[in-house]
Amino acid sequence: MPRLNPARIAVLSAATLTAGVLVAGCAATPQTAGAGSTDPVAGGTLTYLEFQPHTSLYPPTAGFYPNGGLVNNVTDRLTYQNPETLEIEPWIATDWEVNSDATEYTFNLRDDITFSDGTALDAAVVAKNIDTYGLGKTDLNLTVSEAINNYAGSTVVDDDTVTFSFSAPAPGFLQATSTINSGLVSSATLDRSYEEFGAGNAAEVIGSGPYVITAESIGTSLTLEARDDYDWAPPSLEHQGRAYLDQINLVVTPEDSVRIGALTSGQADYVRYVQAFDEAQVEAAGITLYAPQTRGVNNSLNIRFTNPLVSDLRVRQALVAAIDTQEIVDTVFTENYPVATSSLSKTALGYKDESALLTFDPDASRDLLEDAGWIEGADGIREKDGQRLSLDVYVAAPQPLSQQTLELASQQLATVGVELNVKAADSGTYAADIKDPLKTPLYHSMVGRADLDVIKSQFHTLNRNVLLSDDAHLDELLELVASEADPAARLERSGDVQDYLAEQAYVIPLFEEPQVYGAASYVKGVSYESVGRPSFYDVWLDK
């Protein structure tokens, strides 16, 4: 059985529960520790294993799952997106008003909330948070949040009322206030530079959430402790008051065998990133698997069409037709990874089925390449004007089983005469190469967000720009999604983008990506925010 290295990880015996304090105001009154409890139990320490170390706790960077898992538990948000219904509900804001063209939002706030440093969470600090995320601070290297579009500024009406204004309709802003990208931090925290939000400074990032980071070993572990006076969870939650757990020991455990071995042997209670090839072993050990969907842009290969090798639409269409996504899912993954049928997941808002343009058809792929002038060479790889149809792609560390996925895609492409070179992400030139379409004509990525704006976040030239695009029309289509005030019309605009991406063969959607977790049977109250980041507030231990 793989064992955890005690020299590297200080606490990884099974969590020991302590007698818990009663939580005032709970709908279900927590008991002290005891096996077989039917009501939530207060107290105890959860040992949680994370696949990767976090890089920053600046909320707009929280799209990276290790970052987001922390931000989700140490900050609150203005609003709460119900992960079941995706409806936006009150949280720090008790109610709000939006004008007819979605250029002005006014929020009324609770007046009884404090950050963990004791300072008040009032309208002034809320305004400072959203101003920072909406405008950025160049002097501190704090970037603009991809979740906020067309932001103009804020007006503090009184201590518990704030208005936000926009230069153009911003229909996605309300949902943006519910995301971890808009996690509320203290005024002093917002005076820190981007670098001071990074690893080594986690305990200095002050939120108002149910947990506080109290210790950090850079790249190795963090300790989160429950805030005793926390009493402002979203009103729609049954649980109110203090979190049930006393403490969370988060340990970074990148080795799959060690992470899964610790879970199945009882050394760990809860882990993120159960690989597809480990799912059967984990379930056989009596561990519960959770696979919340990320509800955004699917796990895909993005074709950088400014590279001359793939600038011809026929070549891009041939690449799409040569990839057998069903074989990839059947070979590498499990039923938790549905085959993609559009650039957006079926569980995403605005999804439109594009499967007719994504059909696996290797014969059609060969015909398209022949028509485009690419002739099979002596080694089976196609050539044109003395140049081989040879493309590079880097393994994407954040993507599940990226190397295996890309290697199988490479085998499939080889059958139609296309060479796909799968390169390791630890290359010294990796960071520069992935920003150069000549060196990285294909790029493996995804992004999760439960709002229509997610498609703009992925493809717009001023956001992630995964295509390294020069297509002004695509930008225009994306901007319409982000600025259409009418809800029905906005859904249509999202469909227009999905149509265009499929018609231009800019993207090869592979599968709908979940986040797969494993938790011991005694770990209760497991829940996730709307795109699969863990929420520890309701977690309790029945042992």
Side-chain angles (χ1 to χ4, degrees):
M1 174 65 64
R3 305 297 293 176
L4 295 163
N5 184 347
R8 191 169 73 80
I9 301 174
V11 274
L12 269 183
S13 59
T16 302
L17 294 178
T18 60
V21 297
L22 294 180
V23 181
C26 281
T29 303
Q31 308 167 3
T32 54
S37 301
T38 57
D39 292 326
V41 171
T45 296
L46 179 80
T47 298
Y48 176 78
L49 305 190
E50 169 57 62
F51 170 59
Q52 297 163 302
H54 82 281
T55 58
S56 174
L57 296 185
Y58 178 52
T61 69
F64 180 50
Y65 270 75
N67 297 351
L70 292 168
V71 171
N72 189 43
N73 289 283
V74 301
T75 72
D76 298 318
R77 270 76 76 195
L78 273 176
T79 61
Y80 173 70
Q81 185 169 33
N82 186 307
E84 300 299 325
T85 67
L86 301 186
E87 294 296 321
I88 305 300
E89 302 174 353
W91 191 353
I92 302 306
T94 58
D95 57 86
W96 49 86
E97 294 181 1
V98 185
N99 69 354
S100 60
D101 64 354
T103 58
E104 187 174 281
Y105 292 72
T106 297
F107 294 86
N108 295 308
L109 313 177
R110 292 182 58 150
D111 60 5
D112 59 345
I113 297 173
T114 60
F115 292 101
S116 61
D117 64 359
T119 58
L121 198 169
D122 57 15
V125 75
V126 168
K128 185 173 180 179
N129 271 263
I130 303 302
D131 285 348
T132 301
Y133 305 154
L135 300 171
K137 289 185 176 180
T138 55
D139 58 324
L140 297 176
N141 293 324
L142 298 178
T143 55
V144 173
S145 171
E146 66 182 3
I148 300 177
N149 294 294
N150 308 323
Y151 188 71
S154 64
T155 301
V156 176
V157 178
D158 56 39
D159 286 349
D160 56 11
T161 311
V162 60
T163 296
F164 301 107
S165 301
F166 297 83
S167 59
F173 179 67
L174 184 62
Q175 191 274 343
T177 66
S178 75
T179 70
I180 51 175
N181 302 94
S182 300
L184 300 172
V185 295
S186 72
S187 180
T189 299
L190 291 169
D191 293 333
R192 302 174 71 85
S193 68
Y194 178 77
E195 291 72 22
E196 291 173 315
F197 278 90
N201 300 287
E204 306 303 318
V205 175
I206 304 300
S208 61
Y211 288 95
V212 178
I213 297 171
T214 57
E216 175 183 12
S217 177
I218 297 176
T220 300
S221 64
L222 297 104
T223 301
L224 288 76
E225 295 184 3
R227 186 174 167 185
D228 287 334
D229 62 348
Y230 186 81
D231 195 18
W232 43 84
S236 62
L237 297 186
E238 182 179 11
H239 174 201
Q240 297 293 312
R242 180 191 185 276
Y244 295 129
L245 295 169
D246 289 335
Q247 182 172 302
I248 300 163
N249 291 331
L250 184 155
V251 184
V252 178
T253 316
E255 302 89 350
D256 294 327
S257 61
V258 175
R259 195 169 60 256
I260 300 307
L263 179 62
T264 57
S265 66
Q267 292 179 284
D269 307 310
Y270 189 3
V271 307
R272 184 179 82 87
Y273 212 51
V274 176
Q275 300 276 27
F277 54 72
D278 282 324
E279 287 185 15
Q281 172 192 351
V282 168
E283 289 189 302
I287 304 298
T288 304
L289 282 181
Y290 299 89
Q293 272 289 330
T294 50
R295 286 176 166 147
V297 176
N298 282 322
N299 190 296
S300 305
L301 287 175
N302 303 280
I303 304 174
R304 270 79 181 271
F305 52 85
T306 56
N307 183 310
L309 291 175
V310 291
S311 61
D312 189 323
L313 173 60
R314 293 168 295 183
V315 173
R316 298 195 302 274
Q317 290 172 329
L319 297 181
V320 173
I323 298 295
D324 185 351
T325 54
Q326 188 66 60
E327 183 185 31
I328 289 173
V329 168
D330 291 344
T331 304
V332 181
F333 296 102
T334 68
E335 63 185 8
N336 288 322
Y337 299 76
V339 169
T341 54
S342 178
S343 51
L344 289 186
S345 166
K346 291 188 189 73
T347 61
L349 294 171
Y351 161 80
K352 186 173 183 180
D353 187 353
E354 302 288 351
S355 55
L357 294 173
L358 303 174
T359 304
F360 171 58
D361 189 341
D363 290 333
S365 177
R366 295 183 188 96
D367 290 342
L368 285 161
L369 292 170
E370 292 280 349
D371 190 48
W374 289 94
I375 307 303
E376 191 171 306
D379 63 353
I381 301 303
R382 294 179 183 272
E383 299 176 352
K384 181 179 179 180
D385 300 330
Q387 190 168 23
R388 288 161 56 82
L389 189 49
S390 180
L391 309 171
D392 290 348
V393 64
Y394 276 97
V395 172
Q399 309 311 322
L401 301 179
S402 177
Q403 181 169 340
Q404 294 89 329
T405 299
L406 297 176
E407 287 175 347
L408 182 50
S410 176
Q411 295 171 24
Q412 294 173 350
L413 288 169
T415 67
V416 301
V418 178
E419 182 175 59
L420 182 65
N421 304 303
V422 179
K423 304 179 74 171
D426 57 3
S427 163
T429 61
Y430 167 74
D433 285 357
I434 61 171
K435 297 177 182 178
D436 184 344
L438 298 181
K439 294 181 178 178
T440 311
L442 270 68
Y443 182 68
H444 189 196
S445 71
M446 59 75 64
V447 62
R449 180 185 171 190
D451 186 79
L452 293 165
D453 279 359
V454 69
I455 203 164
K456 176 179 179 288
S457 294
Q458 182 78 330
F459 296 110
H460 196 279
T461 54
L462 297 181
N463 294 128
R464 298 190 181 206
N465 192 19
V466 294
L467 296 172
L468 300 179
S469 170
D470 65 355
D471 188 336
H473 182 58
L474 176 58
D475 270 0
E476 291 171 2
L477 292 174
L478 294 165
E479 288 160 9
L480 289 173
V481 175
S483 61
E484 174 55 69
D486 178 77
R490 192 170 173 229
L491 288 169
E492 292 180 5
R493 299 293 81 77
S494 178
D496 292 342
V497 174
Q498 293 168 75
D499 288 344
Y500 188 70
L501 291 170
E503 290 162 358
Q504 295 299 314
Y506 283 166
V507 179
I508 308 174
L510 301 174
F511 56 84
E512 300 182 0
E513 184 172 329
Q515 290 291 304
V516 182
Y517 299 80
S521 60
Y522 55 78
V523 178
K524 307 296 186 181
V526 171
S527 65
Y528 303 93
E529 49 84 74
S530 58
V531 293
R533 297 176 184 89
S535 297
F536 296 124
Y537 176 64
D538 276 334
V539 171
W540 57 282
L541 303 176
D542 186 18
K543 57 182 290 193

